[in-house]
Amino acid sequence: MSYQVDPIGFVRSCFKEKFAIPRQPLLAPAARGVLELVPPFDQPEALQGLEQVSHVWLLFLFHQALEDKPRLKVRPPRLGGNRSIGVFASRATHRPNGIGQSVVRLDGIEPGRLRLSGIDLLDGTPVLDIKPYVPYADSVAGAHNAIADAPPCPIAVEWDAAALAQAQAHAQRLGEPLVELIEQCLAQDPRPAYQRPEPERRYGVLLWDVQVRWHYPRAGVIRVLEVERD
Ligand code: SAM
């Protein structure tokens, strides 16, 4: 038996590629986006009452990780990418039906769209449903998860003076907290855990319409080198 589901909207996100997206929502509060609803869910009736809610659950499709052959085991980045666990013990993107879930901050409601922050969603992500976060039920006192018991330990982010000036100028142009976004995302250390890069090695990612480039000048430190319009 199979069931069909259809998106109720699509996310327009600061994240234009998968690399450097935080592994969970709310780790980068400056990560902003908009959920654009499609008819008939773009009508005010569908959103009535949602203004009383600070956070929402989004159920969505990992549309850039969909696979025909289901995996039973995955290698989550959290475990360094070289240890595998059962797919149902992880929040990996490669999973049956490709369904993701994130609690995000609801910053505003506009006709046919929701303004969101703290997102961990790629641009274009299809959203299947929105549900209000219910603090008394969704926050479980005493819950534990020995695989992921705390957020990743942030690493230090330094700036070349010119890169910081570039980021501040683009932040003003975009009307977005770009400096904070870069710092919050890079502090999660996006490189694969097994890589121990030489200081000469450059990394890069597109956030909004700017290409951010950085390197690892010494252990435990990221230095932002360039923030240029793509
Ligand atoms: N909070 C969600 C969950 O637990 O289901 C997502 C967790 S998953 C580990 C987070 C990663 O999903 C991000 O780092 C990003 O690279 C990836 N991702 C986000 N949106 C995606 C999409 N539409 N398609 C494929 N991968 C996506």
Side-chain angles (χ1 to χ4, degrees), residues 133-145:
Y133 182 78
V134 179
Y136 78 81
D138 295 345
S139 167
V140 182
H144 70 272
N145 177 341

Side-chain angles (χ1 to χ4, degrees), residues 18 21-22 24 62-64 91 93 100-102 120 122 125:
K18 286 188 268 183
I21 302 182
Q24 288 299 341
F62 289 116
H63 73 305
Q64 282 203 6
R91 300 279 280 264
T93 58
Q101 57 182 95
S102 294
D120 59 347
L122 190 61
T125 295

